[in-house]
Amino acid sequence: MSDPVLAALNLNKSFGALKATDDVSIDLMPGEIHAIIGPNGAGKSTLIQQICGGLQPDSGLVLLGGQDVSGHSTQARAQAGLGRTFQISQLCMEDTVLENAVLGAMGAGRSAWRFWRAALKRSDLRETAESALERVGLREERGTRCANLSHGQRRQLEVAVALTLSPRAFVMDEPMAGLGADGSKRLTGFLDDLRAEAPILLVEHDMDAVFALADRISVLVYGKVIATGTGDEIRNNPEVRDAYLGDEA
Amino acid sequence: MRLDERYINGLMIAGLLALPLWALVADQPFTITLMTRAVILALAAVGLNIVLGIGGMVSFGHAAFFGIGGYAMGILAYHAQTYTALDLGAFTTEGTKFMPVIWLVAMITSGLAASFIGLLSLRTSGVYFIMITLAFGQMFFYFAISWAQYGGEDGLSIYVRNDFPGLNTLMPIQFYGICFALLCLVLALFARLQASPFGLALNATRQAAVRVETVGLNPMRLKLLAFVLSGAITGLAGALFADLNRFVSPTMFSWQLSGELIVLIVIGGVGRLMGPVIGACVYVALEHFLGEITDFWHVYLGVILLCIVLFGRGGLIGLLTGKEGAHV
């Protein structure tokens, strides 16, 4: 078997007496979608933050492409190839769709230290940005101010900005959140194809999407991974049914 | 009425060109001096607009850079006019009355000060950033007051305005020309900077710092560079301001001046290319015309400011264009 693209090894994080992350190990193999599910407050966001650099774990390692990035800042991890989307859209609301995508292209091309030629006139940045927008279906909206986008379009833009980075691995925090049934379906189709480009660590509440997409699923409860396996294994795991899924699945 | 922002910008530049020429023909040298003051304050505020308007950092200590620029001019010219040596440790100099060198020294010293102040204060944000920049400004103010070698509280007088090759700088219109040309140059730089990748990234740090980090850029470095550029431009304005008055004193470091620079930008339009210019013209006009009528002219300025903050967040340019945001 090949080496994981992204791996968290024995991560621990406590807030006072609360153990938010309890000896969590999770990995992401090339070409796969690995979903993390769990009830609210299970520590999914805390885990994602430790993987992406917003929070330092008390102990444990984060490896990206086999390289230890545990001590790296968020921006260093992004440069090393981590493409992240947020549960709550983190976009420049006053800027246009294109400008948001160009910002991503700048980060990827490390060209923020250019002071003379207008960012939107640089063809290298524009091409990266526009092709990412094209792929999520936002190219027609490129001149629209982000504040005027619908919720669903903002979710698409989140994904497009991550695409501009051409990352080695995606970490997506509830990309389906707030999308209608239609939007959810379309994004599911899109992520299905995207995994061939770079594997996706997916935190998601939409169980239909998770079971449709995930090659593997890890269930997080009270900061602990109680089970990891394929969709069927998870569905039939009594402990998981007890803790989380109930009769839903 | 909705005007295109480009027309407003063009009109402002045309006005800044035409009015002094009219004053020259009509033999109104004081009007030219008044406009020189407005242009220099505008230049200082364009500097502040980089951090305040694009980067969203409310620096309440930009008087520090204005004052450093002023003292750079004052000290160099003082040694030149008294024929005394200025001992800089590594070497000594006799000072200079040559404007370009003075400007360069003013920009380098204020830029260095900005990198030091920025390095410490940019770790904070919000009210703490405002307070820490204010504190640095006050440190320079009290230092200048007790700096007996260069006049302390009384300041320094420079008897003859500094030289610029080919020009008689004591003629108000010629000195105005120098200041106006520098303002145009810095405005052009500001416009390029705002549209450049750096400007886009800096603008993004104001709106969504987390996003900037997530695409692999360092918000702290972006802000620090903006702060240094900003300080250097405000320092250049300080050197010109001192030259205009042929006088430097600790009041150039006063916190009121830091506040005035913010007020200028808010009046004109935060983050707008010509916001500081319109703000400075309005401010100087009010100061002069209302100041003649009443000593309490600041009250009226306050009312105007209140109206702008309450009803027109985009400043005067926002009111005229009908667009609140500074977006181009």
Side-chain angles (χ1 to χ4, degrees):
Chain A
M1 215 159 85
S2 51
D3 293 327
V5 180
L6 178 67
L9 299 176
N10 310 101
L11 288 181
N12 281 288
K13 181 80 190 172
S14 300
F15 298 107
L18 176 75
K19 206 126 173 62
T21 307
D22 190 355
D23 199 31
V24 171
S25 294
I26 216 160
D27 58 14
L28 187 63
M29 305 308 282
E32 81 164 342
I33 292 181
H34 188 158
I36 302 173
I37 62 173
N40 285 327
K44 299 187 295 283
S45 295
T46 311
L47 175 63
I48 292 293
Q49 286 221 56
Q50 291 170 73
I51 292 173
C52 294
L55 267 178
Q56 271 300 319
D58 297 335
S59 67
L61 292 178
V62 178
L63 304 176
L64 181 61
Q67 189 200 352
D68 182 8
V69 294
S70 312
H72 289 23
S73 63
T74 304
Q75 61 262 21
R77 292 183 205 203
Q79 282 182 4
L82 208 55
R84 183 186 182 190
T85 72
F86 292 88
Q87 183 182 357
I88 299 159
S89 297
Q90 295 286 338
L91 298 163
C92 301
M93 288 298 166
E94 293 172 19
D95 289 355
T96 62
V97 168
L98 182 62
E99 282 166 330
N100 271 282
V102 163
L103 180 70
M106 273 164 44
R110 306 192 187 171
S111 52
W113 303 96
R114 306 286 156 81
F115 306 91
W116 197 243
R117 253 179 67 219
L120 297 185
K121 288 190 180 148
R122 296 178 60 98
S123 54
D124 52 334
L125 297 178
R126 260 193 100 120
E127 271 162 31
T128 313
E130 293 203 14
S131 81
L133 291 175
E134 173 92 64
R135 291 180 64 189
V136 301
L138 272 183
R139 188 140 187 264
E140 296 309 307
E141 300 289 338
R142 62 186 183 272
T144 310
R145 278 227 264 163
C146 197
N148 298 331
L149 290 181
S150 70
H151 177 79
Q153 287 171 321
R154 286 182 201 173
R155 307 301 308 168
Q156 286 169 288
L157 183 53
E158 275 276 326
V159 176
V161 177
L163 282 177
T164 59
L165 300 173
S166 315
R168 300 160 80 155
F170 290 99
V171 176
M172 299 195 175
D173 197 354
E174 299 201 29
M176 314 280 176
L179 290 182
D182 247 20
S184 242
K185 219 166 147 190
R186 226 177 315 136
L187 189 56
T188 303
F190 181 75
L191 296 185
D192 202 6
D193 296 335
L194 189 61
R195 81 179 95 190
E197 203 169 305
I200 305 168
L201 190 65
L202 178 71
V203 173
E204 189 49 67
H205 268 303
D206 180 339
M207 283 307 133
D208 291 336
V210 167
F211 284 112
L213 283 172
D215 299 291
R216 283 191 296 159
I217 299 172
S218 289
V219 185
L220 201 63
V221 177
Y222 294 123
K224 249 185 151 82
V225 176
I226 60 166
T228 298
T230 63
D232 284 338
E233 285 166 10
I234 294 299
R235 235 190 290 253
N236 299 320
N237 183 319
E239 212 182 332
V240 174
R241 295 187 80 101
D242 218 32
Y244 181 45
L245 289 176
D247 297 326
E248 207 183 309
Chain B
M1 192 171 57
R2 297 286 140 91
L3 287 169
D4 193 316
E5 192 170 336
R6 276 172 299 178
Y7 289 128
I8 300 175
N9 296 351
L11 274 174
M12 276 310 291
I13 293 289
L16 287 175
L17 259 174
L19 206 58
L21 290 177
W22 167 82
L24 182 69
V25 175
D27 197 24
Q28 300 270 355
F30 184 67
T31 304
I32 300 178
T33 302
L34 214 55
M35 290 194 65
T36 313
R37 187 177 147 79
V39 162
I40 294 171
L41 285 176
L43 183 63
V46 172
L48 177 60
N49 206 17
I50 295 176
V51 292
L52 180 69
I54 309 180
M57 297 164 261
V58 184
S59 165
F60 202 8
H62 257 53
F65 312 124
F66 199 65
I68 288 171
Y71 270 85
M73 171 278 181
I75 291 168
L76 287 172
Y78 170 79
H79 284 281
Q81 79 181 6
T82 56
Y83 303 104
T84 49
L86 171 58
D87 189 358
L88 290 171
F91 62 97
T92 58
T93 157
E94 283 150 15
T96 179
K97 298 280 285 177
F98 188 58
M99 275 188 189
V101 171
I102 289 172
W103 298 339
L104 199 67
V105 172
M107 290 179 76
I108 290 171
T109 46
S110 48
L112 280 175
S115 61
F116 174 71
I117 293 175
L119 216 49
L120 294 172
S121 56
L122 287 171
R123 292 168 194 282
T124 64
S125 61
V127 174
Y128 299 100
F129 181 76
I130 297 175
M131 286 299 126
I132 198 166
T133 48
L134 172 65
F136 275 114
Q138 290 301 92
M139 275 168 55
F140 280 99
F141 176 73
Y142 286 109
F143 178 79
I145 279 187
S146 49
W147 206 7
Q149 192 189 350
Y150 295 112
E153 217 169 338
D154 299 328
L156 271 178
S157 277
I158 304 303
Y159 305 124
V160 181
R161 196 169 281 155
N162 295 305
D163 312 316
F164 191 88
L167 293 177
N168 176 4
T169 54
L170 277 171
M171 300 263 295
I173 191 72
Q174 301 204 12
F175 185 61
Y176 175 83
I178 292 174
C179 297
F180 178 68
L182 285 172
L183 176 67
C184 289
L185 193 72
V186 169
L187 282 172
L189 275 173
F190 182 92
R192 298 297 306 216
L193 192 78
Q194 195 171 28
S196 75
F198 174 77
L200 188 77
L202 182 63
N203 193 25
T205 61
R206 173 174 58 85
Q207 300 176 62
V210 183
R211 164 57 60 202
V212 177
E213 286 183 345
T214 316
V215 299
L217 300 171
N218 187 333
M220 177 75 187
R221 277 194 216 157
L222 292 164
K223 285 180 177 181
L224 184 61
L225 180 67
F227 203 73
V228 172
L229 284 172
S230 167
I233 292 171
T234 303
L236 171 65
L240 293 172
F241 192 77
D243 232 338
L244 171 68
N245 301 322
R246 278 168 279 159
F247 177 64
V248 197
S249 78
T251 53
M252 281 186 75
F253 282 116
S254 69
W255 64 268
Q256 288 93 334
L257 195 117
S258 297
E260 276 167 23
L261 292 180
I262 296 175
V263 166
L264 300 186
I265 295 179
V266 172
I267 290 178
V270 177
R272 311 268 189 164
L273 175 63
M274 293 299 262
V277 182
I278 292 186
C281 290
V282 169
Y283 185 86
V284 170
L286 284 178
E287 181 184 49
H288 178 65
F289 294 113
L290 282 178
E292 268 181 354
I293 303 167
T294 165
D295 283 341
F296 302 107
W297 71 275
H298 277 102
V299 175
Y300 299 96
L301 177 72
V303 171
I304 291 174
L305 198 62
L306 208 62
C307 288
I308 286 176
V309 171
L310 286 177
F311 305 115
R313 300 289 294 272
L316 287 175
I317 298 183
L319 285 175
L320 290 170
T321 56
K323 283 186 196 150
E324 260 193 17
H327 197 272
V328 253

